Amino acid sequence: MDNLDYGIIGNCRSAALVSKNGSIDWCCLPEFDSPSVFASLLDEKIGGSFGFTVDDTYKINQAYDAETAILITKFTSGEDCFEIHDFMPRYYKDDDTYFSPPELIRYIKLISGAPKFKIVYDPKLEYAQGETKSFIKKDFIASLTHDIKFDTVFLYTSFDKEKVLSGEEIELKENAFFLLAYNEKIFLPTVERVFLDLERTRIYWMDWSLKTPTYSKFDKEIKRSALTLKLLSYDKSGAVLAAATTSLPETIGEVRNWDYRFCWIRDASMVIKVVSELGHKNIAKRYLQFIIDLIPDKDEKLQIMYGINKEKKLTEETLEHLSGYKGSKPVRIGNAAYEQVQNDIYGILMDVIHELISQYSIDIQNGEELWGITKGIVWIVEKHWQEPDKGIWEFRSEDRHFTFSKVLCWTAIDRAIKVAEMLNKQHKIEKWKPLEEKIRKDIMENAWNEEKQAFTQSYGSKHMDASVLLMESYGFIDAKDPKFVSTVLAVEKDLCNDGLMYRYKNEDDFGEPSSSFTICTFWFINSLFKIGQEEKALKHFEQLLSYSNHLGLFSEDIDFKTKRLLGNFPQAYSHLALIECAINFSKKGAEENVLESMRD
């Protein structure tokens, strides 16, 4: 079965996807949202790739070096065996800053015998618009384009450059390397230097993983998901990307193809809350600074998403020359959703601000700015909570009173009150409490559907929506409340299909969705767990984990019938929800162990 059988490598500046056969089919340099250097993922004929061709006798296996973001692809044919260690350098420098250049390294390790292979080196700069030409220079292979815009990359290698470029067979006699750099190197790379970069990068990632607690259940899955979330964070600004790719379709051959290489306030805040709970403070502090830098004037509404370098305008374009993933056009860059109004983002942002202030105490840097942001959020919510919006799923049609948006408006005020309590701002507490009650009353009266015995997608609607499952997670309703229990059961009845969840089933701007939105299945599993159906939740969770790719990675969607991964990849949303689920099961296990030991 065709699947998204890729691993992600990166250094919190950019990322690349490496196929299970060791081909780099997606890579943007110098940054995540830069035009692609390799994009055969989006057009197998003209997109460009960087791989190895071996004869049919070779078996190929791929796995991450444990607790790192270094991907190892192993080629074996009888006695002949070699490994490719793919990574983007990232490690501490003496001055406590990071070395994370716009570079990709392929360290080729001879294991045994005399393996033979050919190199496919076919960069196609600027999303393969125009022609890319490669030239052999004394120290490197330079590839450049100037048809649309001038751009260039440099490939350094210990192999014969002529053989690399012509695709002649190479016999591996000793360890070797490729270093693809966006900038020309001042010091020439050598095998020894590249190996040192590999070891330093390995130590960096192992140190980072060591900070993640060890869990009694699903520890491996939690750690791989945490590393994946870290790889989707952008150091320079503190932004967190929704995914590393653009235009991987939600359904093959359809048009729900979007660019996810941006920072959605909702997705990023959810990621930061989970990652900070795992003990990773730096990523949380950087994100808070990103938010502080972005927050507009006090009466201006926050956008739902921004560019990773804080860009506000994300004009959507179509790249007509690319055929799309498995022929699924269009390929889009930019994202018009930045202009949408989604009222839930204030509650999600306020939730993470409250979480971080709770964790890191109020003497955290920028405390006063965060209190200013809190007051600003309350002001905006008070002014706008009664207005309809586009909702969490970014419906591009008319605005509605979405239940999830209303619950998150309540969350914004609830968390603002909690922050005010921490800061002893009594006058604000008294002022905000009636607003919190007013929003709660409005939701209870208008979101509940008596016929369905459930909270539905929007006021007056009979349609179910997976996002209402988060009412409990955000503290709006207790898990044992009969109204929440019956909502979970109604969501299961209407939206669950062979253990996988629809977001919703009513037609949107593009018809009825035909693939499952992975995060919704994790939400459903969490809700089953919370209402006491723990065995059923665990069964669903283990089944869902089995649909990951060979490296334990998830994209945005899963096809209901074939169970193949679809949508942008790897998806931050899916991995943060995986962590939340896994921790619940693990905590339950830990509590049971304590009770068992007390009985003994």
Side-chain angles (χ1 to χ4, degrees), residues 466-526:
S467 65
V468 299
L469 297 172
L470 294 181
M471 295 172 85
E472 184 274 334
S473 308
Y474 282 104
F476 181 83
I477 193 167
D478 188 83
K480 300 297 189 273
D481 187 305
K483 284 193 168 182
F484 182 68
V485 174
S486 70
T487 296
V488 174
L489 300 178
V491 165
E492 178 177 22
K493 183 173 175 239
D494 283 18
L495 300 182
C496 192
N497 177 348
D498 193 21
L500 296 173
M501 294 292 290
Y502 286 96
R503 286 178 279 186
Y504 48 82
K505 277 179 88 171
N506 47 311
E507 287 199 0
D508 61 12
D509 321 337
F510 303 99
E512 185 184 295
S514 58
S515 58
S516 169
F517 203 66
T518 304
I519 193 173
C520 295
T521 308
F522 284 121
W523 290 344
F524 170 60
I525 291 163
N526 249 343

Side-chain angles (χ1 to χ4, degrees), residues 95 149 192 248 393:
D95 62 358
K149 180 178 130 183
E192 293 73 25
L248 294 183
W393 307 128

Side-chain angles (χ1 to χ4, degrees), residues 33 52 118 169 204 241 289 317 319 333 371 387 405 420 448 462 482 495 537 591:
D33 60 349
F52 294 74
K118 294 172 182 175
E169 190 169 78
Y204 167 80
L241 288 80
Q289 193 56 53
E317 298 171 48
L319 299 178
I333 54 172
W371 174 237
E387 298 168 7
S405 296
W448 178 258
K462 66 179 190 303
L495 300 182
E591 285 160 15

Side-chain angles (χ1 to χ4, degrees), residues 387-401:
E387 298 168 7
D389 68 345
K390 296 290 183 196
I392 181 174
W393 307 128
E394 298 175 1
F395 284 93
R396 293 192 171 197
S397 53
E398 90 283 358
D399 293 1
R400 295 177 216 165
H401 293 281

